[in-house]
Amino acid sequence: MSDLVDSALTARFLRGLAVAPAGTAVRVGARSVRYAELHELALRWAGALHAAPGGPPRAVGVLTDRTLEGYAGVLAALYAGATVVPLHAGFPLERTRHMLRTARVDAVVADGPGLATLRQLAHAGLRLPVLAPEGGDHGTLPAIPVTGRPLDTPVRVRDTDAAYVLFTSGSTGRPKGVLITHGMTRHYFTLADRHYDFGADDAFSQTFDLNFDCAMFDMFCAWGAGAGLHPVPAQAYRDLPGFFAERSLTVWFSAPSAITLARRTGGLAPGGMPTLRWSLFAGEALRAADAVAWQDAAPGSTVANIYGPTELTLTVTGHRWSPQTSPDLCVNGLVPIGTVHEGHDHLLLTPDGRFSDHEGELCVTGPQMTPGYLDPQDNEQRFLRHDGRTWYRTGDRVRALAGGELVYLGRWDSQVQVNGWRVELAEIEFALAGCPGVRDAVAVTRTTDGTVEIAVYYTGEPVPAARLAKQLAELLPKGMLPRRYTHLTEIPLNSNRKIDRRRLAEDAAEQPRTTRPN
């Protein structure tokens, strides 16, 4: 049919394959996988998916860590023309089950930990066909054998088809599925090619798990240039300059919290990261002091603060740090998020429903905006109709600066950024209130040594913090677990008879730093 096109994402890998067939596409640990090798593996797995007993899957879950199975699984699902649904084996079982069902996943690619999760789900009644590496313990799971003929070429798609689905935190106690189309990714990566000069000689970090949208930036910017992708193991943070030197890393992308971690481990010595050409940060507010420290450590690097919720495809604004001009643009010590991408419009919405030229909630419309959540009920209050168009309400309060740049001021609602994770505090409150003995619950954040932490206050029966932490770990990802639990006889209210969140946040800020209960 005339509207079928090459997937923008697979086309990027094929471009890298043409540029550097013998080059490293991804290095996992000590193993380097060449472009030609990964391409052949993805075609073979895509052929297996197409020959699955139930027919070609419409949505393929990738339940892996940053392993070869994960990267090959993402590529194979795209080659097969399916929607990719990246998942995390470390998430609570019920959360993973919800995401699999909501996204209507009908086949899964899994590594070892992913297989273990699928076996647990099978015992609970959810059995999905799984493609796993040779030697993996399928147990009683229906296996998709990697036999038969590989696909000759990737399946063509429509720009309106879903390329992938990612899940964000939801205020109802369940994650929300965000649909990202092939057309949205086409627009994004076309702009990325204009904004960055990535080439086959570059070596990219990958700090984000595959279920985090920024991981798509690393993969497909690297692969579109014929560059190598290097997942960063946890132990590398003990000596980031050493890791950079070993891998000749030229492109770094992470949440700003990595700067704090590097500082704690002595990794921000001036000039200590000489190989870097690009240093990109997203996922939470970037402090000017951190940008300066990183720039000093990587003097040959362009430091950029890029911003965008999942619903707007990876990032939708960007600001390049300039020691000469950027400091004067910072507000409350935060680096500007920059100007909105070409092809997009934005509005600033005030709490009373009017529009402002100066400050308000950022609303964006354009080709990177999601058509909506998988569950239509989640669309309520997240989209705005104005001037005959639909706009996504980010929930972020921004200020417009001279020249069109925007600076982030904070959240309008209770959604926050914690170590790069976008978190609805209401979801944590919902989960905590469901624990035995807890009546009411309030979650706030505090900043300790440059790191955002979650503290919770609750009424009802006093419950040991370790017990609450254990119960929440069965419902929430690790990155969303509170650091401090405080029992109150009653939740404080302000003069308007609303929960006095400011008072609780101030109390949390005054408490000494703690470690998460075991």
Side-chain angles (χ1 to χ4, degrees):
M1 297 176 64
S2 60
D3 59 346
L4 291 178
V5 296
D6 292 327
S7 160
L9 299 179
T10 60
R12 293 189 71 77
F13 186 86
L14 295 177
R15 189 171 76 181
L17 174 67
V19 170
T24 296
V26 61
R27 178 177 170 182
V28 180
R31 181 179 180 185
S32 294
V33 183
R34 296 177 293 108
Y35 272 87
E37 182 183 358
L38 187 55
H39 175 62
E40 292 169 4
L41 182 60
L43 285 175
R44 189 161 68 249
W45 286 12
L49 291 170
H50 256 246
R58 293 167 298 177
V60 175
V62 179
L63 187 56
T64 69
D65 200 347
R66 289 170 292 162
T67 57
L68 175 58
E69 293 85 359
Y71 296 108
V74 168
L75 200 56
L78 291 169
Y79 276 17
T83 301
V84 183
V85 185
L87 302 164
H88 195 296
F91 277 14
L93 208 61
E94 185 54 40
R95 190 179 186 90
T96 300
R97 188 211 316 266
H98 169 80
M99 292 189 286
L100 287 166
R101 287 179 168 168
T102 300
R104 297 183 179 180
V105 167
D106 40 18
V108 181
V109 176
D111 58 12
L115 276 173
T117 296
L118 290 173
R119 290 196 297 272
Q120 293 181 64
L121 287 169
H123 287 310
L126 180 60
R127 291 169 55 83
L128 291 170
V130 58
L131 187 156
E134 294 181 9
D137 182 8
H138 290 71
T140 61
L141 294 169
I144 299 175
V146 185
T147 58
R149 179 172 176 169
L151 289 188
D152 294 326
T153 58
V155 172
R156 305 191 88 198
V157 297
R158 295 175 178 83
D159 267 349
T160 53
D161 291 340
Y164 56 87
V165 167
L166 295 169
F167 284 85
T168 67
S169 179
S171 59
T172 59
R174 53 178 175 77
K176 300 182 294 186
V178 182
L179 187 152
I180 305 296
T181 69
H182 288 285
M184 294 162 66
T185 65
R186 190 180 307 281
H187 186 274
Y188 182 84
F189 285 105
T190 297
L191 292 181
D193 286 341
R194 295 181 200 163
H195 291 174
Y196 307 105
D197 63 347
F198 302 141
D201 292 334
D202 279 313
F204 281 67
S205 71
Q206 174 124 76
T207 65
F208 301 102
D209 289 328
L210 300 188
N211 62 312
F212 199 128
D213 59 347
C214 291
M216 296 293 176
F217 178 98
D218 297 328
M219 280 190 281
F220 292 101
C221 278
W223 290 344
L229 187 65
H230 297 259
V232 181
Q235 61 269 25
Y237 288 92
R238 300 172 188 165
D239 180 16
L240 280 180
F243 183 77
F244 293 162
E246 177 201 348
R247 302 295 180 93
S248 298
L249 216 65
T250 60
V251 182
W252 173 263
F253 186 22
S254 74
S257 55
I259 303 177
T260 300
L261 184 56
R263 181 183 291 109
R264 288 178 186 169
T265 56
L268 285 186
M273 304 175 183
T275 63
L276 289 184
R277 296 197 315 114
W278 287 95
S279 299
L280 310 173
F281 297 97
E284 56 194 1
L286 175 62
R287 299 186 305 173
D290 287 342
V292 169
W294 189 275
Q295 182 76 86
D296 288 345
S301 172
T302 298
V303 175
N305 185 31
I306 54 181
Y307 159 91
T310 301
E311 291 84 350
L312 293 172
T313 312
L314 301 177
T315 63
V316 76
T317 74
H319 173 85
R320 295 186 185 181
W321 177 261
S322 164
Q324 290 74 38
T325 60
S326 294
D328 291 337
L329 300 176
C330 295
V331 176
N332 299 327
L334 299 181
V335 177
I337 59 174
T339 56
V340 174
H341 285 180
E342 300 98 302
H344 294 75
D345 290 329
H346 71 279
L347 300 169
L348 303 183
L349 182 67
T350 63
D352 59 4
R354 294 182 295 177
F355 298 106
S356 169
D357 294 328
H358 176 61
E359 186 175 308
E361 179 187 359
L362 179 62
C363 304
V364 179
T365 191
Q368 290 177 208
M369 186 183 71
T370 181
Y373 298 105
L374 295 184
D375 185 344
Q377 295 183 22
D378 290 329
N379 293 332
E380 187 176 352
Q381 304 300 320
R382 299 313 308 168
F383 294 90
L384 170 74
R385 286 293 297 175
H386 173 72
D387 194 26
R389 293 184 287 176
T390 300
W391 307 69
Y392 175 69
R393 298 184 58 175
T394 66
D396 290 324
R397 183 164 58 96
V398 303
R399 181 176 300 166
L401 306 176
E405 295 236 26
L406 303 173
V407 62
Y408 172 83
L409 301 176
R411 294 290 300 175
W412 279 119
D413 53 23
S414 62
Q415 196 178 79
V416 296
Q417 297 282 356
V418 180
N419 295 326
W421 283 97
R422 197 176 76 183
V423 175
E424 292 272 7
L425 292 179
E427 181 175 5
I428 297 172
E429 293 167 354
F430 181 90
L432 182 59
C435 294
V438 175
R439 186 172 68 243
D440 298 312
V442 178
V444 297
T445 61
R446 66 177 190 163
T447 301
T448 303
D449 294 338
T451 300
V452 177
E453 297 179 347
I454 299 170
V456 292
Y457 294 81
Y458 69 96
T459 63
E461 301 172 9
V463 182
R467 185 187 304 170
L468 291 175
K470 182 178 180 181
Q471 292 169 342
L472 289 183
E474 296 175 357
L475 301 171
L476 301 172
K478 184 178 180 180
M480 293 174 61
L481 294 178
R483 289 275 186 175
R484 172 175 287 275
Y485 299 76
T486 302
H487 174 262
L488 301 174
T489 56
E490 60 181 10
I491 299 294
L493 304 178
N494 60 24
S495 59
N496 293 324
R497 309 303 298 167
K498 296 181 179 180
I499 294 174
D500 196 341
R501 293 180 179 273
R502 176 178 294 181
R503 177 177 166 185
L504 293 177
E506 291 172 349
D507 178 81
E510 293 172 357
Q511 300 302 319
R513 186 178 181 188
T514 59
T515 57
R516 184 177 292 122
N518 295 320

